[in-house]
Amino acid sequence: QPEVHPELWLQECTARGCEKHNRSIVLDANWRWVNKGGQNCYTDQDTWDPTFCSDPAACALTCALEGADYESTYGVTTDKSNDGVNLTFVTKGSYGTNYGSRLYVMDSEDTYSMFKLKNREFTFDVDVSSLPCGLNGAVYFVEMDSHGDLDGQGNTAGAKYGTGYCDAQC
């Protein structure tokens, strides 16, 4: 499956006015299929398959992240004008049922957008009118390497495939 990032237009406004910027979004690596030649590298018991991986470093060398089918598998689409993202919490696809998603904004095909928010304002609109009771819909910022920790050895996927997530655990 080739990786094709859905397009997303953002606006940046200053005292001189607003400018539109063509960006895209990418799905976090934790939601993707990890395989070697069409064989799943991860078992149903939430562990790496020892057939392919003796340890996580071996998996990084042996297995690959699959490109995402954003709409059919993960329920992720952009609206008609590409200035909004629509998320479906439960998506029944041809390979099973997917729950939730985590997305990042891209500056280019291989780099995340790095938002500089000091002394600035960030606004967005969220339509929660169809969000079922008990679900959390959130937007948050975490500091991550703009290249998704791409190192060309253990991580050859990088931001293009949604790697490098870091939160309070890092």
Side-chain angles (χ1 to χ4, degrees), residues 2 18-19 24 43 54 57 63 76 79 82 97 100 108 123-126 139 161-162 165:
C18 296
E19 291 182 24
S24 60
T43 70
S54 55
C63 300
V76 175
D79 62 16
N82 290 332
T97 303
S108 71
T123 62
F124 59 95
D125 296 321
V126 179
V139 174
Y161 289 88
Y165 175 72

Side-chain angles (χ1 to χ4, degrees), residues 30-101:
N30 286 339
W31 268 259
R32 295 169 182 273
W33 186 40
V34 181
N35 73 93
K36 178 181 181 183
Q39 297 294 312
N40 198 347
C41 291
Y42 210 63
T43 70
D44 290 336
Q45 289 76 40
D46 291 335
T47 60
W48 292 110
D49 187 333
T51 308
F52 303 111
C53 312
S54 55
D55 57 48
C59 286
L61 295 174
T62 306
C63 300
L65 288 170
E66 184 74 17
D69 182 341
Y70 284 82
E71 185 172 1
S72 298
T73 304
Y74 302 102
V76 175
T77 59
T78 53
D79 62 16
K80 289 185 287 188
S81 56
N82 290 332
D83 65 356
V85 178
N86 303 307
L87 305 175
T88 304
F89 181 69
V90 178
T91 305
K92 294 182 189 238
S94 56
Y95 300 106
T97 303
N98 181 71
Y99 297 92
S101 59

Side-chain angles (χ1 to χ4, degrees), residues 29-30 41-42 44 52 58-59 67 73 86 105-106 112 116 118 133 139 141 155 167 169:
N30 286 339
C41 291
Y42 210 63
D44 290 336
F52 303 111
C59 286
T73 304
N86 303 307
V105 178
M106 303 291 288
Y112 297 129
K116 310 284 189 211
K118 186 175 181 179
C133 188
V139 174
F141 290 92
N155 178 356
D167 60 14
Q169 301 169 18

